[in-house]
Amino acid sequence: MWVEKYRPKTLSEYRGASNQKEELTEWLEGWEKGDKPVLLYGQAGTGKTSLAEALANDHDLELVETNASDVRTKKKLKKELKEATRQASFFGKQKLILIDEVDGMSGNSDRGGTAELARIVDESRFPVIMTANDAYDNSIRNLRNKSKQVELNSVHTNSINAHLKEILENEGIEYEKSAVKTIARRGGGQIRSAINDLEAAARGKEKLTKEDVEVIGARDKEQDVFEALKMVFKTENADTAKRATDNLDEDAGTFIEWVRENIPREYQRSEDVTRAYDQISRADVFNGRIRNTMNWSLLKYVYHFSTIGVALAKNQKYSGWTKYQYPSKIRRMGSSRAARNKLESIEKKVGKKLHVSGREARAMLPFISGLLEENSELAEQLELEEDETEFISSF
């Protein structure tokens, strides 16, 4: 994915945040045992983790990274983090400890986790950076009070715009300036979301146009579907998985397709894949009942099986980065609400002319696609616009 391919490796490659980069560099170069950790905070997608990684690279430090929302209990913290803050690097380097999402530790499953994390940070032999979306979450008040706070603001639209252009030029893709500007603006200060949108609109194309951008829609400011998938696939914690869809700007049926498509990309053991598909099938059953009965009280079961069910289907979580893919079914139908709206418009036109339901009209689209290639007058008879005719050809 482009968001990983173009992740900054050094502070000089990291766009913006000049004051914050200087402040962190001074803190790290002057750090001594017992000094305060840093609480690096700001909205999701602004590059907090990338900034810490670039800082470590610049100083040739081994970065030890832990996600606090996954390691939430006192027992797990002692097992997975405490030793890392005490033992020397296997590679003979100094370390930088990165603890992501400390504000994700709140909840019933904490069991003393926040207090234990505070003790571990106090006793660390190495500098510690903690990240949070909300530094003023009451659950991390103790951590905040004992930390040096560094706020990472939203990335300016002009900086995002320049970075997106560089990516397209590196990929050899021509572009309309207005199209890139639109994606940068829709990112809402989140460079990660903007890059994901750019890849969705431009990958595989020779030129990015304004029309390409119109079909991807604006990302939710708090979260995108890639983050939701990561929360489901990379955790063994039910509460973390449950939160994956809290702010997701996708309907339940579409999210099911995303999870279904990426299960075999994340899970490698056959028994994990089998159990995960069993859970997503249960979610699909309940989603079908909602469509048939309009009983929206069943929606909670759809999300339960597609998040918690899939997350807990694995015996243990898989390490490493996974390249999540757009669902093939959504790619055929269009990857956004704008595309689905276009599909609904086509269904109505075809259904009206052929005197069939919308569902039957959709089923006929592959057949109609072939007819349109042979009969240039058919599009006019069905009252289809040129872009609708092109859309049908993708079936």
Side-chain angles (χ1 to χ4, degrees):
M1 290 176 64
W2 289 356
V3 72
E4 294 296 332
K5 183 177 181 180
Y6 294 100
R7 182 186 289 272
K9 302 297 189 298
T10 65
L11 291 177
S12 62
E13 294 178 1
Y14 189 96
R15 287 190 169 273
S18 299
N19 294 335
Q20 290 86 346
K21 288 190 289 188
E22 183 177 346
E23 190 173 2
L24 288 173
T25 298
E26 290 179 357
W27 164 80
L28 182 61
E29 292 177 349
W31 188 88
E32 296 180 359
K33 185 178 179 182
D35 283 354
K36 286 185 174 182
V38 162
L39 179 61
L40 182 62
Y41 68 97
Q43 69 166 330
T46 51
K48 297 184 292 294
T49 302
S50 294
L51 181 55
E53 291 174 351
L55 182 69
N57 288 337
D58 273 7
H59 291 80
D60 194 29
L61 301 176
E62 179 188 348
L63 185 71
V64 179
E65 183 175 355
T66 299
N67 191 304
S69 62
D70 289 337
V71 188
R72 305 175 72 179
T73 67
K74 183 176 180 179
K75 181 178 180 181
K76 282 193 172 184
L77 281 165
K78 284 184 175 179
K79 178 182 177 182
E80 300 188 25
L81 181 61
K82 192 169 186 176
E83 292 305 313
T85 64
R86 292 183 172 183
Q87 295 179 352
S89 168
F90 179 79
F91 302 101
K93 295 182 177 182
Q94 290 297 310
K95 290 181 179 180
L96 176 62
I97 309 296
L98 174 62
I99 309 171
D100 266 326
E101 301 180 8
V102 293
D103 52 338
M105 295 188 68
S106 59
N108 295 331
S109 61
D110 187 348
R111 301 178 199 166
T114 303
E116 179 63 23
L117 178 58
R119 284 191 290 271
I120 291 173
V121 168
D122 283 340
E123 298 170 3
S124 176
R125 290 177 50 194
F126 308 100
V128 175
I129 293 178
M130 300 177 288
T131 73
N133 294 336
D134 180 9
Y136 295 92
D137 187 310
N138 286 332
S139 66
I140 61 169
R141 180 173 51 194
N142 186 31
L143 294 173
R144 181 181 67 244
N145 291 340
K146 63 173 57 192
S147 301
K148 172 183 176 63
Q149 297 170 43
V150 177
E151 182 178 10
L152 196 58
N153 298 316
S154 300
V155 185
H156 195 280
T157 298
N158 290 342
S159 294
I160 296 177
N161 187 50
H163 189 50
L164 298 185
K165 287 180 179 179
E166 284 185 6
I167 291 175
L168 292 173
E169 289 162 5
N170 287 333
E171 295 291 329
I173 299 173
E174 297 181 6
Y175 56 85
E176 294 178 0
K177 292 181 179 180
S178 60
V180 181
K181 188 73 171 182
T182 298
I183 293 177
R185 186 174 59 251
R186 286 179 175 176
Q190 301 180 38
I191 195 164
R192 180 178 60 214
S193 292
I195 294 173
N196 284 335
D197 280 345
L198 182 72
E199 183 174 15
R203 180 180 281 277
K205 294 184 172 64
E206 294 182 358
K207 183 175 182 178
L208 175 69
T209 67
K210 190 68 177 290
E211 287 71 25
D212 295 323
V213 175
E214 289 176 353
V215 301
I216 64 171
R219 293 288 188 200
D220 185 274
K221 288 188 175 182
E222 296 299 323
Q223 192 175 52
D224 60 27
V225 71
F226 292 103
E227 286 300 304
L229 290 173
K230 182 180 177 182
M231 288 179 72
V232 170
F233 288 132
K234 296 296 187 183
T235 188
E236 297 175 279
N237 183 280
D239 287 344
T240 300
K242 184 179 179 181
R243 296 200 309 272
T245 57
D246 282 354
N247 299 305
L248 188 62
D249 190 20
E250 284 292 358
D251 59 74
T254 301
F255 183 66
I256 286 174
E257 295 302 328
W258 276 96
V259 177
R260 192 198 312 274
E261 182 81 15
N262 288 288
I263 285 171
R265 290 182 170 84
E266 178 74 34
Y267 294 170
Q268 302 301 315
R269 291 180 289 271
S270 59
E271 59 271 24
D272 291 350
V273 173
T274 299
R275 286 192 291 265
Y277 273 128
D278 178 61
Q279 294 297 312
I280 208 66
S281 295
R282 293 168 186 261
D284 210 11
V285 168
F286 278 100
N287 198 46
R289 290 175 181 170
I290 292 173
R291 290 196 303 269
N292 292 332
T293 65
M294 301 305 292
N295 181 2
W296 292 99
S297 66
L298 300 176
L299 188 61
K300 59 185 177 183
Y301 299 109
V302 177
Y303 284 123
H304 177 94
F305 287 116
S306 61
T307 57
I308 299 174
V310 172
L312 301 186
K314 56 185 176 291
N315 284 323
Q316 62 185 59
K317 66 180 179 181
Y318 295 83
S319 60
W321 174 76
T322 302
K323 182 179 181 180
Y324 299 130
Q325 297 285 343
Y326 277 83
S328 54
K329 183 175 180 180
I330 293 180
R331 187 178 291 113
R332 291 195 301 268
M333 295 173 56
S335 61
S336 71
R337 283 180 171 76
R340 292 196 290 276
N341 290 339
K342 184 177 293 184
L343 179 59
E344 290 175 3
S345 173
I346 293 170
E347 290 173 358
K348 290 179 181 178
K349 290 181 178 181
V350 173
K352 180 179 179 181
K353 290 294 182 180
L354 301 184
H355 305 288
V356 297
S357 68
R359 179 177 296 181
E360 290 175 299
R362 179 182 298 191
M364 298 171 67
L365 291 185
F367 175 67
I368 293 175
S369 176
L371 292 179
L372 286 169
E373 295 180 3
E374 300 175 5
N375 185 349
S376 59
E377 297 180 357
L378 181 58
E380 184 177 347
Q381 293 169 355
L382 293 175
E383 299 182 358
L384 297 173
E385 303 293 337
E386 183 177 351
D387 61 332
E388 292 174 332
T389 303
E390 293 176 356
F391 187 88
I392 293 175
S393 68
S394 65
F395 276 75

